[in-house]
Amino acid sequence: MQNNVLILDFGSQYTQLIARRVRELNIYCEIHPYNNLPDNVSDFKAVILSGSPFSVRGDDAPHPDLSEIRGKKPLLAVCYGAQYLAHFSGGEVAPSNTREYGRANLSFVKEKEQFFENITKGSQVWMSHSDTIKKLPTSAIRLASTSDVENAAYRIEGEETYAIQFHPEVYHSTDGKQLLENFLLKIACVQPDWTPNSFVDTTVLELKNKVGDDKVVLGLSGGVDSTVAAVLLHKAINKNLYCIFVNNGLLRKNEFSAVLKQYEGMGLNVKGVDASARFLDALKGESDPEKKRKIIGRVFIEVFDDESQKIENAKWLGQGTIYPDVIESVSVNGGPSATIKSHHNVGGLPDFMKLEVVEPLRMLFKDEVRRVGASMGLDPELLGRHPFPGPGLAIRILGDITAEKVAILQEVDAIFINGLKAEGLYDKVWQAGAILLPVQSVGVMGDERTYENCVALRAVESTDGMTADWVNLPYEFLQRTSNAIINRVKGVNRVVYDISSKPPATIEWE
């Protein structure tokens, strides 16, 4: 733990980006809410305070206990954190005359400051605040300014405490990574020793200690996350890992047989279970997205419970949960960030199930999972596979689920995905899929009037799924794909392309 970094979350939309940037420096970090500090604060090498939608002047403002941190550990306060230190340490924070959002440039940078080493006047930063620091806290020295923000950065004399009014974690802050590197590597002296190989070694040892000689049942999906989780567990407990791949009736076309074949030769003990009728029956008539997710999660648990009872003395349920799943499902570690949606594999198990959960990847982002998989020698084609939602096509069929709708969407999806692969576009896209919309539209086929389904195609580029931009696929490709879908999939007469980014939209439609 001696080289770990603690990030205190005050509810900022950018908190997860801070973690991403720190991890990019090969430094392990954890996010914890400001009001629920970990018991082992003293073990962390440095601390970062996040931004917040709150105002330090408000009655409901987050008010953390920093007695075990400030003056005792290197501390970097970002945006709200910088205002917090000023407001409660002899400075003054007041509303800005104008709201300060977007790009700005440093008009002043104090010379010979390690914190701003290799960062010069004119460097672009990203502002996102409505309050501003009018007066610095006691014993503070101004380090940087912009044309509109005089106190854009400062440090406290006699402490390794630094504060910035801008967001270094956002890509628009062009030297943000350099600033974090200066603070963590040069000031806090954190060692950049968190690599895929070190993660594998540490995790395998932790799994051995945690699971021991117990048996683990793990649900495989054919995707990157569950596969990497399975290989890590296999390294730790070998024959005591029992993998189950469930056909929930909501997979892509021919995926059940293709995935089972994919795992042949990997040394994993894999059993295929066709529970498609069970899932479709449970989903019958349900249109609410959250309820569909909950139903799928419940039936998954029931299937695993049934299968685990066939394995004598099975005590653990392995899952491929990753950090974005956790972040989007619940406020991080019980903190103030907003819940976006629930995930079927997050939140523990029901009381009737006698298995405990083990999640080797719970603290990793998607790109980190791929790097860990590569370090263990997994097939690059498998590691390059697009993410696919746990609830499968259920959340790409808007409205109620029927076998007929699933069949239509499977055909549409296959044409789209296979087309991307055939034209060398698949690896240029982070995630792609098709959505069956709950609307019908008028069309003309030959001399006949049709009134059939509309489907939307979606392709995005991203690093970890936390943010995403739509991909500008060639018009010619979209034209060929649209024609192929309409001509070959009975029941579809209109194709549209989704050009929404995340935020404000999400990657999936439900």
Side-chain angles (χ1 to χ4, degrees), residues 253-460:
K253 184 179 179 180
N254 299 326
E255 190 168 24
F256 186 53
S257 57
V259 167
L260 287 175
K261 186 173 183 179
Q262 171 184 276
Y263 286 120
E264 291 178 4
M266 288 184 65
L268 299 175
N269 176 19
V270 182
K271 177 182 180 182
V273 178
D274 188 354
S276 52
R278 186 169 177 176
F279 280 88
L280 291 175
D281 285 346
L283 287 164
K284 189 175 296 182
E286 184 55 67
S287 298
D288 181 83
E290 274 296 287
K291 290 181 180 178
K292 286 194 290 187
R293 287 177 180 272
K294 297 294 186 185
I295 289 170
I296 292 167
R298 172 177 59 79
V299 179
F300 260 117
I301 294 297
E302 292 171 357
V303 171
F304 283 126
D305 190 45
D306 291 345
E307 292 300 321
S308 68
Q309 290 184 29
K310 299 174 185 177
I311 301 169
E312 188 176 356
N313 296 324
K315 293 185 178 180
W316 298 87
L317 175 64
Q319 296 193 134
T321 309
I322 63 174
Y323 214 10
D325 296 340
V326 177
I327 292 167
E328 288 196 334
S329 296
V330 293
S331 299
V332 179
N333 293 327
S337 297
T339 297
I340 307 300
K341 60 190 176 186
S342 66
H343 286 258
H344 76 279
N345 59 340
V346 178
L349 299 174
D351 292 338
F352 73 81
M353 198 169 185
K354 298 177 181 178
L355 299 179
E356 295 183 67
V357 173
V358 56
E359 299 167 315
L361 310 176
R362 187 178 178 87
M363 299 303 288
L364 294 188
F365 291 96
K366 174 71 74 173
D367 59 314
E368 294 171 332
V369 175
R370 287 196 170 101
R371 289 201 295 271
V372 167
S375 75
M376 295 190 295
L378 269 65
D379 185 346
E381 185 174 341
L382 188 154
L383 294 176
R385 187 183 183 202
H386 290 178
F388 188 64
L393 299 180
I395 59 170
R396 293 181 179 175
I397 297 173
L398 275 59
D400 67 320
I401 309 297
T402 67
E404 180 185 15
K405 290 181 180 179
V406 172
I408 289 173
L409 190 56
Q410 284 177 331
E411 293 297 329
V412 172
D413 179 85
I415 292 171
F416 185 32
I417 298 301
N418 290 337
L420 288 170
K421 291 178 178 178
E423 301 203 22
L425 296 169
Y426 186 83
D427 291 336
K428 298 179 181 179
V429 173
W430 191 76
Q431 182 172 345
I435 301 93
L436 182 62
L437 305 182
V439 296
Q440 291 183 309
S441 67
V442 174
V444 178
M445 291 186 177
D447 294 325
E448 296 183 7
R449 175 185 183 274
T450 62
Y451 193 59
E452 294 180 333
N453 295 292
C454 175
V455 295
L457 305 182
R458 180 88 158 127
V460 300

Side-chain angles (χ1 to χ4, degrees), residues 17-283:
L17 289 180
I18 298 175
R20 292 282 309 117
R21 300 297 168 263
V22 173
R23 300 262 185 103
E24 287 172 2
L25 296 172
N26 291 330
I27 294 172
Y28 181 73
C29 61
E30 293 181 7
I31 300 172
H32 288 264
Y34 74 91
N35 55 357
N36 188 17
L37 274 65
D39 294 333
N40 59 338
V41 169
S42 60
D43 291 340
F44 288 88
K45 186 79 171 178
V47 179
I48 299 176
L49 307 183
S50 82
S52 176
F54 295 96
S55 167
V56 294
R57 299 173 297 102
D59 294 336
D60 58 349
H63 193 18
D65 178 7
L66 300 179
S67 59
E68 295 300 313
I69 297 171
R70 187 172 167 187
K72 299 179 180 179
K73 292 183 177 297
L75 174 64
L76 173 60
V78 176
C79 199
Y80 176 90
Q83 295 174 357
Y84 179 85
L85 293 182
H87 184 69
F88 291 102
S89 302
E92 180 187 354
V93 176
S96 271
N97 294 329
T98 58
R99 298 176 72 186
E100 295 164 343
Y101 290 93
R103 295 173 178 83
N105 295 94
L106 297 179
S107 58
F108 161 74
V109 174
K110 194 173 188 303
E111 295 181 354
K112 298 181 180 179
E113 285 287 339
Q114 197 171 31
F115 187 57
F116 276 95
E117 193 171 312
N118 297 321
I119 301 173
T120 60
K121 177 180 174 181
S123 177
Q124 179 177 285
V125 296
W126 185 262
M127 296 289 185
S128 182
H129 57 95
S130 55
D131 286 346
T132 194
I133 300 169
K134 295 290 187 182
K135 177 185 174 185
L136 291 175
T138 305
S139 301
I141 297 174
R142 182 182 302 110
L143 299 183
S145 306
T146 69
S147 58
D148 294 322
V149 181
E150 182 182 11
N151 299 310
Y154 64 87
R155 65 175 172 85
I156 307 293
E157 283 194 290
E159 304 177 15
E160 289 181 318
T161 297
Y162 292 78
I164 49 178
Q165 185 64 82
F166 54 90
H167 289 270
E169 69 273 20
V170 176
Y171 280 117
H172 300 298
S173 290
T174 52
D175 291 316
K177 185 176 181 180
Q178 179 66 60
L179 187 141
L180 290 171
E181 182 177 328
N182 290 343
F183 172 72
L184 293 171
L185 273 65
K186 297 175 182 177
I187 294 171
C189 298
V190 181
Q191 296 300 311
D193 57 6
W194 192 68
T195 64
N197 287 334
S198 69
F199 174 83
V200 171
D201 293 342
T202 301
T203 302
V204 168
L205 181 60
E206 289 175 350
L207 289 171
K208 285 180 178 179
N209 293 333
K210 183 174 185 176
V211 176
D213 294 326
D214 295 343
K215 294 178 180 178
V216 177
V217 184
L218 181 137
L220 285 173
S221 69
V224 177
D225 302 335
S226 63
T227 303
V228 173
V231 174
L232 281 168
L233 280 161
H234 182 69
K235 281 180 171 288
I237 62 174
N238 205 322
K239 60 182 174 55
N240 282 338
L241 174 65
Y242 294 78
C243 299
I244 299 170
F245 177 49
V246 176
N247 181 8
N248 60 6
L250 302 161
L251 302 175
R252 286 175 158 151
K253 184 179 179 180
N254 299 326
E255 190 168 24
F256 186 53
S257 57
V259 167
L260 287 175
K261 186 173 183 179
Q262 171 184 276
Y263 286 120
E264 291 178 4
M266 288 184 65
L268 299 175
N269 176 19
V270 182
K271 177 182 180 182
V273 178
D274 188 354
S276 52
R278 186 169 177 176
F279 280 88
L280 291 175
D281 285 346
L283 287 164

